[in-house]
Amino acid sequence: MSWFFLRAGQSSTHALEVIDRLVLELTSLRGSLDSAAGLAANQYLLWAERAELHLSEVMADRSIPRGLYTERYWRIRVLDNFAVRPHPLIQGEMADQLRSLNDIRQQLAHYEQLLRPREDERLLVCDTNALVHGKRFDTLRWNELFAERKVRIVLPLVVIDELDTIKDRGGSIKNNANRAAGAVLRELDAKLLPGQALQRMELRDNVTLQLVDEPFGHTRLEGHDDEIIRQASYFSSMSEGRTTIVARDRGMRVRAEAAGIDVIPLPLDYERADPEEPFDG
């Protein structure tokens, strides 16, 4: 499973309403199929046509509405009243489509609950270099950078994994980047409570921290920056656009702007003045 992206301008709330309506219609249809094979087939085909239209309006991935057109769908299209045991074929296809819709719904509901901002709150995605070269993330007044009074730092797993890679790079010979990455991870470990990895954590007044998981089986893009942009784009759709990337590298900022995501550079006074400065804020 990968991320189910919404179309630009669509909200997760509306997408969930659309999916809930399609699930309700199909569930009702399963219990009221006409006994005549041709009419039963037509009932399902009419639902599938409506589903394609509505899913195409809210979902960016065209494979989702196209997933309605399975091998069984085309067999249902040619059913007539003389077909042998047509109803198990139609019922089986409806059951599969319900499972697919519920998979999409479950993911959208999970990330909407995880990422929906509170009133006057902005989500802030720190890229890896902003954490490695900046002062301690938990000591900075991130909320002073935005009109919103509250900021939630959102850390995707791809950033945490990259910090782990940087920490271990070079073996026993450690440079400042290795040490800084290790310090960030130690700060995270100190704040994580067992069994509550996805719970928001208070860092200071009006600044919280949120770790974000990935769908099981998700395949990342090869480039870390590209994957961070991809995930931040998804977070933005879940937060009605109230997501900003803070990036130290120009390449990351260009990528974010090209993807239509709000981005700011790491402020100079948020960086450590001396590359060898101890990582203690």
Side-chain angles (χ1 to χ4, degrees), residues 128-129 132-133 158-183 185 222-225 228 249:
T128 312
N129 277 333
V132 168
H133 295 281
V158 62
V159 170
I160 296 173
D161 290 342
E162 193 173 10
L163 288 169
D164 262 318
T165 299
I166 294 171
K167 172 180 68 70
D168 297 331
R169 191 178 295 157
S172 60
I173 302 174
K174 298 296 183 183
N175 59 29
N176 202 51
N178 301 140
R179 291 190 291 271
L185 292 169
E222 186 173 345
H224 284 286
D225 285 357
I228 292 170
D249 299 338

Side-chain angles (χ1 to χ4, degrees), residues 123-134:
L123 305 187
L124 184 65
V125 180
C126 293
D127 82 344
T128 312
N129 277 333
L131 294 171
V132 168
H133 295 281

Side-chain angles (χ1 to χ4, degrees), residues 10-214:
Q10 294 292 335
S11 71
S12 55
T13 301
H14 178 59
L16 286 168
E17 290 172 352
V18 168
I19 292 169
D20 284 345
R21 185 166 61 249
L22 291 174
V23 166
L24 182 62
E25 290 174 357
L26 190 55
T27 302
S28 176
L29 182 58
R30 288 187 73 189
S32 60
L33 274 180
D34 198 282
S35 59
L39 291 176
N42 193 55
Q43 285 176 303
Y44 174 72
L45 295 173
L46 287 172
W47 175 87
E49 290 168 6
R50 290 195 303 273
E52 181 193 19
L53 176 64
H54 293 307
L55 291 173
S56 296
E57 289 175 349
V58 297
M59 306 305 299
D61 188 350
R62 286 294 299 152
S63 68
I64 293 175
R66 287 173 184 159
L68 294 161
Y69 301 123
T70 64
E71 179 183 353
R72 275 195 297 207
Y73 169 87
W74 295 108
R75 291 172 62 191
I76 292 170
R77 281 192 70 93
V78 297
L79 287 177
D80 58 28
N81 289 333
F82 301 100
V84 178
R85 292 183 53 78
H87 286 77
L89 178 71
I90 302 172
Q91 290 283 0
E93 181 64 4
M94 289 193 291
D96 279 353
Q97 293 301 335
L98 282 172
R99 279 191 288 269
S100 296
L101 289 172
N102 281 318
D103 284 345
I104 298 170
R105 193 203 186 287
Q106 184 177 10
Q107 184 186 113
L108 289 176
H110 170 71
Y111 288 109
E112 182 187 55
Q113 182 181 26
L114 204 63
L115 295 164
R116 176 178 288 279
R118 295 174 179 173
E119 186 178 357
D120 294 331
E121 183 181 46
R122 176 159 289 270
L123 305 187
L124 184 65
V125 180
C126 293
D127 82 344
T128 312
N129 277 333
L131 294 171
V132 168
H133 295 281
K135 297 177 181 178
R136 269 183 40 179
F137 71 92
D138 58 325
T139 66
L140 295 171
R141 299 184 181 277
W142 297 102
N143 55 311
E144 295 181 355
L145 300 177
F146 304 98
E148 291 89 350
R149 295 197 300 270
K150 305 179 182 70
V151 161
R152 191 183 344 163
I153 300 172
V154 175
L155 286 187
L157 287 178
V158 62
V159 170
I160 296 173
D161 290 342
E162 193 173 10
L163 288 169
D164 262 318
T165 299
I166 294 171
K167 172 180 68 70
D168 297 331
R169 191 178 295 157
S172 60
I173 302 174
K174 298 296 183 183
N175 59 29
N176 202 51
N178 301 140
R179 291 190 291 271
V184 173
L185 292 169
R186 285 193 296 276
E187 287 301 320
L188 286 175
D189 288 341
K191 297 178 185 336
L192 292 176
L193 297 175
Q196 298 184 34
L198 299 183
Q199 299 297 317
R200 73 167 63 205
M201 293 161 269
E202 298 288 336
L203 297 182
R204 59 183 307 141
D205 288 346
N206 296 323
V207 181
T208 57
L209 175 68
Q210 175 84 64
L211 272 58
V212 182
D213 62 343
E214 297 173 359

